[in-house]
Amino acid sequence: AASEREDQAGTALSAKTIKNYVSLISSVFEYAVKMQLVPKNPCAGATLPRNEKHEREMLSLTDAQKLLGLLSAETGERTPLALFISLAIYTGLRRGELLGLEWRDINITLGLLSVKRAAYYTKERGAFTDTPKTKNSLRTLKLSDCVMAQLTRLREWQLNYAASLGDKWTDSGRVFTNWCGNAMYSNAPERYFKRLCRAYGLPVVSLHSLRHFNASLLISAGLDVKTVQASLGHSSASTTLDIYAHEFATAQALASAAVANALERTIA
């Protein structure tokens, strides 16, 4: 389903996805060769793309703290968008996962948020809801008290706003909605986020970079790869290691330095 959405969106496929496609097609041809249907496997000589590593552009910790302060001051109809960005920072959820959230997925009392679906948009299908990217994306996160307080504030605002609209409001059950209660437009959070960054002199980075920022905080806090994988909803720990190899290496180097410094102080 994920690859289908990628194709429909018309975006360039990653090197990893191309390799997976070639591997699948190659296995079909290998069977055909075995059954003597074709003389050879044409995929045998295929040139595969290399995985290019690009340095991710992210907000610094200071930038993120400033941004959270700005978001907390937003009021009125900007409240849902502000809370969307804030939740993206605190949870590292994908945009589609945030857009797909419903109030029934959140346990205010226990401080739990469950990811059960994701919202997508393609030119061919328009807006639609589907399963998250991987089976491990179906997960439950424990949220801090400050995040739950923000969600409670959003719920109160939404209920009051819905009452003011009367029968113009559609109760979709979504946490993040457009002006009349239907699911929020998929491009609205990114547009709002970049507009806010420009207005206050913050680096204009992508909305998805907030997910990388969240991951970098988890890793720098010393969490192991399996915990980071579970939080981000990656398909495997190897995926997490591949994406954040540099961050884990940096964290390991800092840990080694800390051990060395502690031992040297003890000896001295």
Side-chain angles (χ1 to χ4, degrees), residues 27-262:
S27 65
V28 174
F29 275 108
E30 283 295 331
Y31 180 77
V33 170
K34 183 178 179 180
M35 299 300 294
Q36 298 183 340
L37 298 175
V38 295
K40 64 178 181 178
N41 182 354
C43 296
T47 301
L48 299 176
R50 298 178 60 182
N51 290 320
E52 296 183 7
K53 299 293 184 181
H54 300 284
E55 186 173 347
R56 286 181 288 272
E57 294 184 356
M58 300 188 299
L59 298 177
S60 67
L61 180 58
T62 302
D63 291 333
Q65 290 169 333
K66 178 180 178 180
L67 176 60
L68 287 171
L70 295 170
L71 294 170
S72 66
E74 291 283 64
T75 59
E77 294 184 19
R78 292 190 299 273
T79 300
L81 287 165
L83 268 293
F84 186 104
I85 304 303
S86 182
L87 201 60
I89 295 173
Y90 276 107
T91 66
L93 292 181
R94 302 176 179 93
R95 177 176 62 174
E97 294 171 345
L98 287 166
L99 290 171
L101 279 178
E102 297 182 3
W103 287 110
R104 58 179 173 163
D105 304 326
I106 300 172
N107 188 317
I108 297 291
T109 304
L110 298 179
L112 300 177
L113 181 154
S114 297
V115 179
K116 298 180 178 179
R117 73 196 66 77
Y120 302 95
Y121 176 85
T122 66
K123 292 181 180 179
E124 291 77 11
R125 294 182 60 180
F128 64 101
T129 301
D130 203 344
T131 55
K133 189 174 182 180
T134 70
K135 66 177 183 178
N136 286 337
S137 296
L138 296 166
R139 61 201 187 280
T140 297
L141 304 179
K142 173 68 175 177
L143 303 182
S144 65
D145 291 342
C146 72
V147 176
M148 295 311 300
Q150 292 182 47
L151 285 168
T152 300
R153 178 167 73 91
L154 174 60
R155 184 55 171 161
E156 292 174 352
W157 177 88
Q158 189 185 87
L159 290 172
N160 291 331
Y161 181 73
S164 71
L165 285 185
D167 58 8
K168 293 181 180 179
W169 177 264
T170 299
D171 187 9
S172 64
R174 291 290 170 91
V175 173
F176 299 105
T177 69
N178 64 5
W179 72 272
C180 64
N182 290 317
M184 181 179 284
Y185 302 120
S186 61
N187 64 343
E190 181 104 33
R191 292 171 59 187
Y192 166 80
F193 172 56
K194 291 188 175 181
R195 187 165 61 245
L196 194 67
C197 288
R198 292 189 186 97
Y200 291 94
L202 292 168
V204 183
V205 295
S206 70
L207 182 64
H208 190 74
S209 72
L210 299 181
R211 177 169 165 83
H212 296 313
F213 174 77
N214 178 274
S216 70
L217 292 183
L218 294 176
I219 296 167
S220 62
L223 297 183
D224 62 274
V225 63
K226 290 296 292 183
T227 302
V228 177
Q229 175 208 345
S231 180
L232 296 177
H234 285 153
S235 58
S236 65
S238 61
T239 299
T240 307
L241 279 172
D242 182 55
I243 296 174
Y244 298 108
H246 174 72
E247 285 81 357
F248 277 109
T250 301
Q252 181 61 47
L254 292 174
S256 298
V259 171
N261 290 336

